[in-house]
């Protein structure tokens, strides 16, 4: 493989992308300076987005950069507000850091913008504490983070990923330090504090693909790392595709997320640790042959299983798809190291080791004490459980069932999956939504009903 960021191939890819410096519509016709896009989601989760964007942008100039072969190169630390526009190709060279961990800096990204991570330098993006990212694409103009390698040469780990460091509460400090702080994987800066309502901005209609580079042995970057991120941050309509490490990981804090697609991860789909207490609704993880571990991997604190505050998220409407023929695929859900939390309306199929594994006495105790709950779950795996003790939440009732077929339309397709319910699926009824203003009413089990496809238009599933 050859990175194209500073070669003649860069010019070919990036100049092809740019075409010219004026904006064009999808047909190549020059677009007006101002346009209004209104798109209404028809999915039955009842979310209705009316996205209005103007090409004139905010009252700030596009970020200054060094241009190489048609790309605007970003590198180092930025302490003034940034603006990345869709008429340019932006290249992340090595670590690109927004803010200095003290003073606020905002990174604004225009809908339809593509940001390339330079493979040769393991480019990645970090939003520091006190700073924000405003990356709000639309269903027709998603914001894309990808590798600078040519199509056909792309692979997991071709660049870094996106890291957001917030001021949320962690349980990572053995010495009881308050506020508790930690350093992100890959040396991506400090995170943590005492404010679980902190806002790191908005990430919406964003695709992150072919990331997860290994910074050092066993030290990779997740597709989207949410480190101590607070509930004031909006995470909605996110796809992480072909990431070498986990798709999305939550390290403490209280950030929420909706409409999440994790496709073909090299490790776990969704992972959480260190006292995270957020909510997630409408999420799908699809493992593919040649990579992947657990659909969900949940920990409290790896060194102190009883560390407070407990990891205690609430999930609803989750679909987890494994590959039963892949030796890499492990568990649909692995709960361990004292993790608490609730999972409702969960559909799991195809994981070779088991749909569900619960480990460590501290984790079991959360179920018997009521600190953890599994309800309205449907499992299609052989075996369904890692061991007989794992059946604890099933023995407790809550309408959990092992069935023979989820009857999804085409959930295992590598390039054009359809996760919606097929004809005769028993998942069409029986859903019960947990309490709380975050959750959208839905009477089905899993992330999709039989009609609306909230992934349409903004997701993509390239092989390489």
């Amino acid at each position: 493989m050859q990175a194209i960021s500073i070669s003649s191939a860069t010019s070919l890819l990036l100049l092809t992308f740019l075409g010219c410096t004026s904006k064009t519509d999808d047909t190549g016709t020059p677009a007006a300076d101002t346009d209004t896009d209104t798109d209404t989601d028809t999915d039955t989760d009842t979310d209705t987005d009316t996205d209005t964007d103007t090409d004139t942008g905010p009252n700030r100039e596009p970020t200054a950069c060094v241009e190489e072969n048609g790309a605007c190169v970003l590198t180092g630390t930025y302490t003034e507000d940034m603006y990345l526009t869709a008429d340019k190709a932006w290249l992340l060279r090595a670590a690109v850091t927004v803010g200095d961990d003290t003073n606020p800096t905002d990174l604004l990204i225009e809908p339809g913008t593509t940001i390339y991570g330079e493979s040769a330098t393991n480019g990645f993006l970090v939003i520091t504490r006190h700073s924000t990212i405003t990356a709000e694409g639309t269903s027709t103009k998603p914001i894309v983070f990808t590798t600078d390698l040519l199509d056909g040469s792309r692979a997991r780990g071709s660049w870094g990923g996106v890291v957001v460091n917030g001021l949320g509460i962690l349980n990572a400090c053995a010495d009881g330090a308050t506020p508790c702080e930690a350093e992100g994987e890959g040396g991506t800066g400090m995170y943590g504090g005492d404010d679980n309502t902190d806002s790191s901005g908005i990430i919406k209609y964003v695709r992150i693909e072919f990331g997860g580079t290994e910074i050092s042995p066993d030290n990779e970057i997740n597709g989207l790392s949410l480190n101590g991120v607070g509930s004031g941050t909006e995470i909605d309509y996110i796809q992480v595709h072909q990431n070498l490490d986990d798709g999305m990981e939550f390290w403490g804090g209280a950030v929420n997320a909706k409409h999440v697609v994790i496709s073909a991860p090299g490790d776990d789909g969704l992972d959480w640790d260190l006292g995270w207490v957020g909510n997630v609704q409408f999420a799908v993880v699809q493992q593919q042959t040649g990579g992947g571990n657990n659909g969900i991997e949940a920990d409290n604190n790896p060194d102190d299983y009883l560390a407070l505050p407990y990891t205690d998220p609430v999930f609803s409407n989750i679909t987890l798809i494994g590959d039963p023929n892949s030796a890499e695929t492990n568990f649909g859900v692995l709960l361990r190291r004292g993790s608490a939390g609730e999972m409702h309306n969960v559909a799991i199929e195809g994981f070779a080791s088991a749909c569900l594994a619960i480990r460590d006495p501290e984790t079991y105790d959360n179920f018997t004490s009521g600190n953890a709950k599994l309800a309205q779950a449907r499992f299609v795996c052989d075996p369904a459980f890692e061991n007989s003790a794992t059946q604890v939440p099933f023995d407790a009732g809550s309408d959990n069932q092992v069935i023979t077929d989820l009857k999804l339309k085409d959930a295992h397709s590598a390039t054009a999956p359809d996760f919606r319910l097929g004809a005769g699926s028993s998942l069409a009824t029986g859903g019960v939504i947990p309490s709380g203003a975050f959750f959208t009413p839905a009477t089905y089990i899993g992330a999709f009903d039989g009609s609306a496809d909230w992934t349409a238009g903004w997701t993509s599933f390239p092989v390489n």
Side-chain angles (χ1 to χ4, degrees):
M1 296 182 188
Q2 181 184 8
I4 63 168
S5 58
I6 56 175
S7 68
S8 60
T10 309
S11 179
L12 176 62
L13 173 67
L14 297 180
L15 289 179
T16 298
F17 168 78
L18 288 172
C20 58
T21 58
S22 63
K23 299 179 192 282
T24 61
D25 60 23
D26 293 337
T27 65
T29 303
D33 287 338
T34 303
D35 66 278
T36 301
D37 294 336
T38 302
D39 56 285
T40 302
D41 297 333
T42 58
D43 47 326
T44 56
D45 62 21
T46 72
D47 285 358
T48 300
D49 293 336
T50 301
D51 298 323
T52 301
D53 61 88
T54 56
D55 287 344
T56 53
N59 187 24
R60 67 174 83 161
E61 293 295 320
T63 296
C65 63
V66 175
E67 292 202 16
E68 292 184 12
N69 299 314
C72 286
V73 178
L74 303 174
T75 192
T77 298
Y78 292 79
T79 57
E80 295 184 358
D81 288 348
M82 304 174 68
Y83 181 34
L84 308 188
T85 53
D87 61 342
K88 297 179 183 294
W90 302 88
L91 184 74
L92 304 175
R93 174 164 292 166
V96 176
T97 302
V98 178
D100 59 6
D101 201 36
T102 302
N103 299 298
T105 303
D106 178 57
L107 167 61
L108 175 62
I109 306 175
E110 187 178 41
T113 301
T114 299
I115 300 98
Y116 297 89
E118 188 173 53
S119 177
T121 62
N122 293 329
F124 61 91
L125 177 67
V126 178
I127 310 300
T128 62
R129 293 180 294 186
H130 305 283
S131 293
T132 53
I133 178 172
T134 306
E136 188 170 4
T138 71
S139 61
T140 57
K141 296 180 181 179
I143 293 166
V144 179
F145 290 86
T146 190
T147 175
D148 67 333
L149 294 176
L150 287 168
D151 292 4
S153 298
R154 301 179 298 181
R156 297 185 184 102
S158 296
W159 65 290
V162 178
V163 179
V164 183
N165 294 329
L167 292 163
I169 298 169
L170 316 178
N171 66 16
C173 297
D175 60 3
T178 303
C180 182
E181 299 177 317
E183 183 171 10
E185 290 183 309
T188 51
M190 299 300 294
Y191 66 94
D194 57 6
D195 185 5
N196 264 358
T197 66
D198 179 44
S199 175
S200 294
I202 180 170
I203 303 176
K204 186 173 183 180
Y205 286 114
V206 169
R207 243 179 25 240
I208 303 169
E209 58 187 26
F210 299 109
T213 190
E214 187 176 60
I215 301 299
S216 60
D218 298 319
N219 193 10
E220 303 94 351
I221 295 179
N222 304 307
L224 178 59
S225 298
L226 298 169
N227 300 334
V229 176
S231 61
T233 308
E234 183 179 353
I235 307 292
D236 201 1
Y237 295 100
I238 305 299
Q239 181 186 17
V240 180
H241 180 66
Q242 292 274 14
N243 199 74
L244 182 63
D245 197 22
D246 301 333
M248 183 184 297
E249 186 157 4
F250 304 84
W251 302 85
V255 66
N256 306 312
K258 264 186 180 174
H259 302 105
V260 175
V261 180
I262 309 296
S263 47
D267 197 359
D268 305 313
L270 296 167
D271 198 336
W272 59 81
D273 319 75
L274 303 185
W276 175 53
V277 293
N279 305 305
V280 173
Q281 189 178 22
F282 307 118
V284 59
V285 175
Q286 184 211 44
Q287 304 280 20
Q288 293 181 13
T289 301
N293 193 2
N294 306 304
I296 287 176
E297 183 175 279
D299 296 324
N300 185 37
N301 181 307
D303 300 314
D304 179 2
Y305 297 177
L306 296 177
L308 296 175
Y310 280 122
T311 301
D312 193 19
V314 180
F315 273 64
S316 186
N317 298 100
I318 310 301
T319 299
L320 305 175
I321 305 299
D323 180 0
N325 300 314
S326 174
E328 300 294 331
T329 304
N330 205 345
F331 301 105
V333 176
L334 173 59
L335 304 173
R336 64 183 187 180
R337 297 174 176 172
S339 180
E342 298 182 17
M343 300 185 71
H344 299 257
N345 310 312
V346 184
I348 307 176
E349 77 169 27
F351 287 85
S353 297
C355 278
L356 177 65
I358 302 175
R359 295 178 180 171
D360 308 311
E362 294 85 350
T363 315
Y364 285 109
D365 289 347
N366 286 327
F367 281 95
T368 57
S369 68
N371 289 330
K373 182 178 182 179
L374 178 67
Q376 299 87 42
R378 301 292 185 268
F379 287 179
V380 182
C381 299
D382 185 17
F385 310 104
E386 181 183 31
N387 53 52
S388 59
T390 300
Q391 298 182 53
V392 168
F394 272 68
D395 295 340
S398 299
D399 188 26
N400 299 316
Q401 302 175 25
V402 177
I403 61 177
T404 59
D405 191 349
L406 297 181
K407 293 186 177 179
L408 306 182
K409 290 189 175 182
D410 194 5
H412 292 275
S413 170
T415 57
D418 189 340
F419 304 109
R420 292 175 295 174
L421 306 184
S425 175
S426 62
L427 278 61
T429 60
V432 179
I433 298 300
S435 61
F438 171 80
F439 293 100
T440 300
T443 57
Y444 50 91
I445 294 171
F448 302 83
D449 67 2
S451 57
D453 183 3
W454 48 260
T455 71
W458 61 277
T459 60
S460 183
F461 301 85
V463 174
N464 53 38

